Each structure stands twice: as structure tokens, then as C-alpha cells.
Amino acid sequence: MAVECSVARGPLTVRYTYNLSGTRHDFGDLRRVMAAASPARSGDALAGLCAASALERVAARLVLADTPLAQFLTETVIPYDIDEVTRLIIDSHDLAAFAPIAHLTVGGFRDWLMAADGAAIQAVTAGLTPEMVAAVSKLMRNQDLIAVAAKVQVVTSFRTTIGLPGRLSTRLQPNHPADDARGIAAAVFDGLLHGVGDAVIGVNPASDSITSAATLLTLLNDLRQRYEIPTQSCVLTHVTNTIALIERGAPVDLVFQSVAGSEAANRGFGIDLAVLREAHQAGLSLGRGTAGRNIMYFETGQGAALSANAHHGVDQQTMEARSYGVARAFDPLLVNTVVGFIGPEYLYDGKQIIRAGLEDHFCGKLLGLPMGCDVCYTNHAEADQDDMDSLMTLLTVAGCTFLICVPGGDDVMLSYQSLSYHDALYLRATLGRRAAPEFEDWLERMGMLGPGSKILALTDPASPLVRRMALEGAR
């Protein structure tokens, strides 16, 4: 047995040890097993958490494979009494949903996932903790992560319906370094002409000014109404700013916030669960959705907790999965990992970024989230656009809910490399993915769809959208 269990007075105690090639590996606790079992990445090395050798990593995976899933309900990686995220995870766990897999080990759960269909997987979602799905992901090859995630559909809606089979949605990200209205509007029109923007038109503001955010929200709302675009807009300002904007009567569609996997890391973002609950209720009170009531938008990223020194000795991928435990408590419309944004100190190169993107998508899907990804890297990482081409293609095969696209693949405000509008055209054409149905109907009304729902020539003067833009562009 890789895991030696002994029952003493009180709860089950587990000794995480393994004898491999004449060496005894003693990992001490579940947190250490999880860290040592993780694929190599620079963030865990920076934190002193990674396996000391490939042999130790194999031993940790063997131990993890024999660890009962039920152990994650009795041994928390961050103590219950000091962390509200842990309390949220444990207190919201659904024992009835867990019952069909309660007898399994982590390795047995991996085998079960590979054999199960999507309906069976989704039936146990509420019974899974973030640590369980992080653990099983550590035992899986990339193709396993893709195969399982592709079986799961998570459908949400606001003005468009996101996550339906055969669909790939996109966030249109028209950032501008000075929040210039004309520059943002030009980027929006460019994206719409490429069929991008059905998940959200979302701007990262260059400043924290509530007045500036209100101006941007009004701009996006006016554009949406003028062209009758069935989508939702968002200015990705701090959640407390969004609450203030709602109180001022600004046209808020989605409520955004970056979240992390520990109370301390979220405190570094200036939030706690109570603030998120307040924002969620404020957003719902507006009733602006026409297709549904999913109004929250969360972003995450491996390394966020470590960068705030708020990881509690837990590996960065497990901490990332815990952030999904926060997100799912608020029934979001959209969640995405910004997979390579934090930098090579956490994900060093293209290989690590690709693996992390597939892990994040898999874990989010298993926890019932509408999981998307910002397929991206910073200019000082050992990665390039070929790596991003690989990741965006793999994620689309895996059934990724949405991807983020920026003009030219280069965000001139945040100074990092992402996907372009043309990348969305490639993915939809090559892999047969379509936009959200409400948005696709609008594209057809605008004369932008040809046979097979393919986007027509972008400057076709016969397109109603092109004609309207030409007539109104100078206004």
C-alpha cells in the first residue's frame, strides 16, 4: 500500500509514505503529498514546495493515488478555523452527491472519470472539493485532462447562453492605455467584425476612477443598444467600485472580481466573501439579463496566492483550484484563468503554461464552472505564440467555454501577449465551433454569416453592420 492507514482513538490518521527503489519517502501530511505530486513548475520551486527529484515526484503520485477521497473531508490543506475559504468548501460540501464516489481513492477516481459520461460526472460535482479535483489532475496526462473536460458542459446565461455543446464563446477585450473612448470603440468594432464578443465585451480600465469606469460602462452600453448586440459588457474594476457604480445608477451588466484560494490572498485583493455576497445581490437587483441571471465574472491565475505570500505552504495549482471553490459559490456567468499573466516566476515556459491551462480548465469544469481561459504570456517568459496556438487548440478540443481575444494579440494597456480576433476565426473554422446562439443570430441579421456559420469577408460593403458603421463612424 502506498498509503499506510492506522485507526487510533479519534479520527483516521494517515501516514503518507512510500518505499521506492530502496528509498523511503515520508511526506508527512496531505499538503506535502499534493505539492510533491505536482508537475514541475517554477512557482512551486520558488516556494520550496516542489519534489526534490523525479523519483520523489513519482513516489508522491503513488501515495496520492492510494489516498481515499474521503480523506479530503477530514484533513484540510489550510486549517478550517483560520480560513474562510476552507470553511466555505467544507460547509457547502454535498454528502449525497459525494456518495457514489465516496469509496474511491484518488487513483480510483481518475479511472472512474475516464470511464464515466458527462451526466455521471456532473451528478457528483457538488460532492467534489477543490482539493479532490486538484489531486486527481496531478495523476493525469494532458490527454486525460482534455478527454474528461470535453465530456462536461456547464451552461450559463445573461443575454447570451454560454457553454452549449459545439460552441466556443469569446471575450472581446478592447483595452486602451488611456481609456480613450474612440480607441476602445474602434477595437470593439474590429472585434465584432470578426464575430468576437459573445461572452462579454470587457474592458480592463487603466485607472481606478469610478467616474472613468462609469464613462466606459455608458460607452459600451450605448454601443450595445445602438447596434442591438445580444451580449453583456463589463468594466473590470474592483468589486467595491462596481457596488458604488450600481448605487449611482450606472449601466452595470456583470460584476467582476479577481479571486484567490485563501482568505489571506483575497484580503490582498481587498475582498472577502461578505463583500462578494453584497456585490452579487446588488448585481441581481438590477435585473438586466434577458436570457438568464448569472451576473458574476471571476478571474484567477496560478501563483496569485504565492505572490501575496498567502499560500500557507500549499502548491500553486491546489490553491488555484481552491479559488474555484470561491467562484462557484456565486453561480457566475464566466470564470477564466489568466494562465500565463503573472509571469515566469510562477509558470516558466510554454510547457508549464500549457499544462497549467489544461489543469485549470479541467478543475473548473469538474467543479461546475463555466470555465474559460486567457491564453497568454508575458514577454519575459520562455514562451511564444506557437505555444499559445497549441494551448488554444487543445482547450477548444477540451470544450473550453470561452477565450479572451485582444486586437492583434497584443494588449497595449496590460503589456502582455494574448489571442487575437483572427485566432477565434481559426478555432471556429478549423474545429467547427460556433458562437453563442443569440449572438450568432445577430451576426446573421448583420449579414456576417455564410454557409456553415462561417464569418464572411470582414469589409464586405453589403454587410448591414459594415454599412451602419460607415454611416455612424464619424459621430
Side-chain angles (χ1 to χ4, degrees):
M1 284 287 292
V3 177
E4 302 170 359
C5 300
S6 61
V7 179
R9 290 185 179 180
L12 179 70
T13 59
V14 179
R15 298 189 182 97
Y16 300 99
T17 63
Y18 200 86
N19 290 309
L20 187 65
S21 299
T23 301
R24 180 181 175 85
H25 299 271
D26 190 345
F27 297 99
D29 60 18
L30 185 56
R31 181 178 59 179
R32 176 61 190 148
V33 176
M34 295 276 279
S38 289
R41 64 201 59 199
S42 53
D44 289 340
L46 179 69
L49 299 175
C50 62
S53 65
L55 188 67
E56 184 180 60
R57 183 172 294 110
V58 170
R61 289 178 180 174
L62 290 167
V63 170
L64 189 59
D66 277 351
T67 300
L69 282 180
Q71 183 65 18
F72 291 90
L73 301 177
T74 60
E75 182 179 353
T76 58
V77 296
I78 302 176
Y80 181 93
D81 59 345
I82 68 167
D83 186 83
E84 68 172 0
V85 175
T86 298
R87 293 194 290 275
L88 174 67
I89 291 167
I90 297 300
D91 294 349
S92 62
H93 181 257
D94 188 330
L95 282 172
F98 182 59
I101 56 171
H103 63 290
L104 296 175
T105 62
V106 176
F109 183 45
R110 181 257 177 207
D111 295 341
W112 184 90
L113 286 170
M114 295 299 294
D117 61 20
I121 294 171
Q122 288 177 275
V124 303
T125 290
L128 299 176
T129 69
E131 291 85 353
M132 291 176 191
V133 300
V136 76
S137 75
K138 298 175 192 296
L139 305 182
M140 303 181 96
R141 295 170 57 184
N142 284 3
Q143 68 172 259
D144 300 339
L145 298 174
I146 294 167
V148 173
K151 294 189 281 189
V152 179
Q153 277 83 46
V154 180
V155 179
T156 58
S157 58
F158 187 76
R159 291 195 188 93
T160 54
T161 304
I162 310 297
L164 292 168
R167 308 278 177 167
L168 172 66
S169 292
T170 50
R171 170 183 161 190
L172 198 169
Q173 182 169 298
N175 294 348
H176 191 280
D179 287 342
D180 179 75
R182 290 177 65 86
I184 290 172
V188 170
F189 288 143
D190 188 19
L192 292 171
L193 288 169
H194 287 78
V196 169
D198 56 323
V200 64
I201 301 174
V203 177
N204 297 92
S207 78
D208 291 328
S209 164
I210 293 176
T211 300
S212 176
T215 300
L216 294 177
L217 283 169
T218 301
L219 166 68
L220 296 178
N221 190 62
D222 288 348
L223 288 174
R224 181 185 62 79
Q225 291 184 321
R226 175 183 292 184
Y227 295 99
E228 301 173 320
I229 308 166
T231 190
Q232 35 282 330
S233 63
C234 185
V235 172
L236 283 69
T237 188
H238 193 270
V239 69
T240 55
N241 287 349
T242 302
I243 293 172
L245 288 162
I246 291 172
E247 292 172 348
R248 295 185 182 191
V252 172
D253 285 345
L254 304 187
V255 177
F256 168 82
Q257 183 54 48
S258 295
V259 294
S262 72
E263 179 179 343
N266 283 324
R267 195 181 304 124
F269 284 139
I271 62 166
D272 57 22
L273 296 179
V275 169
L276 293 179
R277 292 187 188 102
E278 179 186 357
H280 187 216
Q281 290 304 310
L284 286 174
S285 72
L286 299 176
R288 290 172 60 84
T290 55
R293 287 169 53 82
N294 302 109
I295 54 95
M296 300 299 285
Y297 177 15
F298 294 113
E299 282 192 335
T300 67
Q302 287 196 29
L306 175 57
S307 68
N309 194 29
H311 61 295
H312 297 272
V314 180
D315 69 273
Q316 68 181 39
Q317 190 258 333
T318 300
M319 290 301 298
E320 172 72 1
R322 283 171 57 92
S323 72
Y324 304 152
V326 174
R328 75 170 172 177
F330 298 94
D331 200 18
L333 177 75
L334 305 168
V335 180
N336 70 259
T337 170
V338 191
V339 67
F341 181 75
I342 302 180
E345 298 82 4
Y346 304 96
L347 295 170
Y348 178 72
D349 57 13
K351 181 180 177 66
Q352 292 187 11
I353 292 171
I354 289 169
R355 173 69 190 192
L358 295 176
E359 288 171 347
D360 294 352
H361 177 254
F362 166 88
C363 290
K365 277 286 203 66
L366 255 63
L367 291 170
L369 292 176
M371 201 67 200
C373 186
D374 190 351
V375 176
C376 63
Y377 64 100
T378 57
N379 287 314
H380 62 309
E382 291 295 321
D384 58 28
Q385 203 61 47
D386 285 340
D387 296 314
M388 301 307 104
D389 285 353
S390 297
L391 179 53
M392 71 180 182
T393 304
L394 293 173
L395 284 170
T396 305
V397 172
C400 189
T401 302
F402 74 103
L403 297 171
I404 292 177
C405 300
V406 306
D410 184 1
D411 192 304
V412 296
M413 194 276 282
L414 292 174
S415 298
Y416 76 114
Q417 308 304 306
S418 186
L419 302 185
S420 72
Y421 303 149
H422 293 86
D423 291 327
L425 291 178
Y426 148 74
L427 291 168
R428 285 176 172 163
T430 305
L431 298 175
R433 297 301 195 269
R434 297 159 61 188
E438 300 89 348
F439 193 81
E440 186 177 72
D441 289 346
W442 176 79
L443 289 173
E444 187 167 16
R445 291 197 305 273
M446 293 295 104
M448 293 180 59
L449 288 185
S453 299
K454 184 177 180 180
I455 301 292
L456 295 174
L458 303 179
T459 56
D460 183 354
S463 163
L465 182 59
V466 172
R467 288 203 307 270
R468 286 186 63 180
M469 287 181 177
L471 289 171
E472 300 175 7
R475 296 181 186 177

